[in-house]
Each structure stands twice: as structure tokens, then as C-alpha cells.
């Protein structure tokens, strides 16, 4: 009887150890699977964040290019306005010079007429 109880006890211990090992293996497998899923989730999140960062970077690049294009257009517009103002100033100067020459010619004619009158 004692030997039978001893065998049953040994058998019960062996079964308990096997069950413990099976449970341990299942827990390790589950932990590995959960860690793999978490790693995959983290990798996916990082991937999404990288895509978002690239998109933001692209948007910032486009914004910079747009600002540069606007600045260039504004600079060109200002340069055109400055060129037009310079042309206008030159035209006014030429007109004043022409008016000065015309005045000088008028004075010369009057002077010649006055000399001719004086001679007559």
C-alpha cells in the first residue's frame, strides 16, 4: 500500500511537473507572441510617424519654395517699378532739357531780333 501511494505520489509529481512545463511553455509562447505583436505595433507606429514627418517635411519644403517664389515675384515687380520710375525720370529730364534748349533758342531769336532792330 505504501509503495502504491509512493508510486501515485511520484506519478502525481511527474504529471504536475509536465503540466507546469506545458503551462510555462504556453506562457512563454504567449509572451513571445505578444512581444512580437507589440514590436510590430511599435514598428507600424514608427512607420506612420516617419511617413507623417516626411509629409510635413515635404509641406515645409513646398512652403519655403512658395515663399521664395513670392519673394522673387515681388523683387521682380519692385525692379520693374524702379526701372519704370528711372525711365520716367529720364524722360522728365530730357523734357526739361528740351524745354531749356527751346527757351535758349527763343532768347537767341529775341536777341538777334533786338540786334537787327538796333541795326535798322
Amino acid at each position: 500500500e505504501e509503495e502504491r501511494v509512493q508510486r501515485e505520489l511520484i506519478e502525481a509529481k511527474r504529471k504536475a511537473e509536465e503540466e507546469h512545463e506545458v503551462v510555462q511553455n504556453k506562457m512563454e509562447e504567449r509572451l513571445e507572441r505578444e512581444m512580437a505583436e507589440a514590436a510590430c505595433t511599435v514598428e507600424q507606429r514608427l512607420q506612420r510617424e516617419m511617413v507623417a514627418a516626411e509629409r510635413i517635411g515635404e509641406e515645409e519644403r513646398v512652403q519655403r519654395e512658395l515663399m521664395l517664389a513670392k519673394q522673387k515675384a515681388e523683387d521682380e515687380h519692385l525692379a520693374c517699378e524702379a526701372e519704370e520710375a528711372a525711365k520716367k525720370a529720364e524722360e522728365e529730364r530730357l523734357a526739361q532739357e528740351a524745354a531749356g534748349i527751346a527757351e535758349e533758342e527763343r532768347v537767341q531769336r529775341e536777341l538777334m531780333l533786338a540786334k537787327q532792330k538796333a541795326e535798322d
Side-chain angles (χ1 to χ4, degrees):
E1 181 68 25
E2 204 173 295
E3 286 178 13
R4 185 186 59 76
V5 170
Q6 199 68 352
R7 281 193 305 272
E8 286 178 6
L9 184 60
I10 290 171
E11 185 64 24
K13 274 185 176 180
R14 188 184 60 75
K15 280 187 178 182
E17 285 174 1
E18 285 178 2
E19 287 177 13
H20 176 72
E21 194 173 320
V22 167
V23 168
Q24 187 77 23
N25 288 341
K26 284 183 179 180
M27 286 177 61
E28 286 176 5
E29 287 173 8
R30 192 177 105 215
L31 182 61
E32 286 176 11
R33 194 172 48 251
E34 287 175 356
M35 286 175 61
E37 288 172 2
C40 187
T41 302
V42 167
E43 187 176 330
Q44 288 172 344
R45 190 187 82 229
L46 289 174
Q47 196 74 25
R48 284 193 305 267
E49 288 176 1
M50 284 175 51
V51 167
E54 287 173 2
R55 193 169 39 244
I56 289 169
E58 183 67 16
E59 288 173 3
E60 288 174 351
R61 183 187 65 75
V62 168
Q63 286 294 332
R64 280 193 306 274
E65 287 179 5
L66 184 60
M67 281 177 39
L68 289 173
K70 283 181 180 178
Q71 187 65 45
K72 184 178 179 183
E74 190 175 312
D75 290 349
E76 287 174 358
H77 177 71
L78 291 175
C80 285
E81 285 182 351
E83 191 175 321
E84 286 180 29
K87 283 180 184 176
K88 200 175 222 179
E90 180 64 13
E91 288 172 1
E92 286 178 16
R93 187 190 65 76
L94 290 174
Q96 286 178 351
E97 193 175 298
I101 291 172
E103 179 65 20
E104 202 174 297
E105 288 174 353
R106 186 189 63 76
V107 168
Q108 285 291 336
R109 279 194 309 273
E110 285 180 12
L111 189 60
M112 282 176 59
L113 284 174
K115 275 184 182 179
Q116 209 166 18
K117 248 185 187 179
E119 286 176 5
D120 289 345

